Amino acid sequence: MALASLSEMDIDALNKYFPSLEAKKKALVVSRVFAFDWAPRNSISFLLGKVAAWLRTCRPKCNDCLRIQSQPRFNGASYLAANWLPFTEMPVRYFYLKNNYITYRSLLSLPADLKTQVVTSVTNSILCVCLV
């Protein structure tokens, strides 16, 4: 079993890659990808191939589907195996509160006293693109 979720493009650091706001609205982010340990070895790349096929059929106006490969222990092999192309690298920040990962959206909603307890780490991330 594997799962992928798509979200509207909301990564401001990528604005420079879109010629217009309308072009940005046509792009999606693969915001989460998950497979259980017991899933077959190629589950993620198979799933990403199906995501691209679904986009061609159900979202034909979605010109690009972008994914940030942001965890340093992953090398993006599943994206490459699904014929997604490396595009660029960019730094990505991770936020932790009491040793637990929190999203940027969660960080923004924290009260001021908890925000001071957040620890940040930065790593490089590979940005892959699936042209549909």
Side-chain angles (χ1 to χ4, degrees):
M1 167 155 319
L3 169 78
S5 64
L6 301 173
S7 304
E8 297 300 320
M9 174 55 67
D10 64 350
I11 304 170
D12 291 337
L14 300 178
N15 286 346
K16 64 184 177 186
Y17 297 111
F18 297 100
S20 67
L21 181 59
E22 190 60 35
K24 183 179 178 184
K25 288 181 181 180
K26 293 179 183 177
L28 295 173
V29 175
V30 177
S31 48
R32 296 287 184 268
V33 176
F34 174 81
F36 285 100
D37 291 340
W38 47 262
R41 188 163 191 245
N42 66 342
S43 295
I44 296 294
S45 56
F46 181 79
L47 174 65
L48 292 169
K50 292 294 184 183
V51 167
W54 179 85
L55 286 168
R56 281 191 294 275
T57 302
C58 297
R59 291 279 305 255
K61 293 184 180 184
C62 177
N63 295 332
D64 302 309
C65 181
L66 302 175
R67 159 64 173 148
I68 292 197
Q69 176 59 37
S70 56
Q71 295 188 9
R73 68 180 187 267
F74 299 116
N75 61 11
S78 294
Y79 295 93
L80 298 176
N83 295 321
W84 292 45
L85 305 172
F87 182 64
T88 189
E89 284 193 27
M90 60 186 288
V92 175
R93 291 184 299 171
Y94 289 97
F95 304 100
Y96 299 90
L97 178 61
K98 300 178 183 175
N99 293 324
N100 292 310
Y101 170 77
I102 60 170
T103 65
Y104 181 67
R105 289 181 185 108
S106 297
L107 171 68
L108 293 177
S109 67
L110 288 175
D113 61 321
L114 284 180
K115 284 182 183 177
T116 62
Q117 298 177 36
V118 172
V119 176
T120 303
S121 70
V122 177
T123 185
N124 273 346
S125 163
I126 300 168
L127 177 66
C128 294
V129 63
C130 169
L131 300 175
V132 295

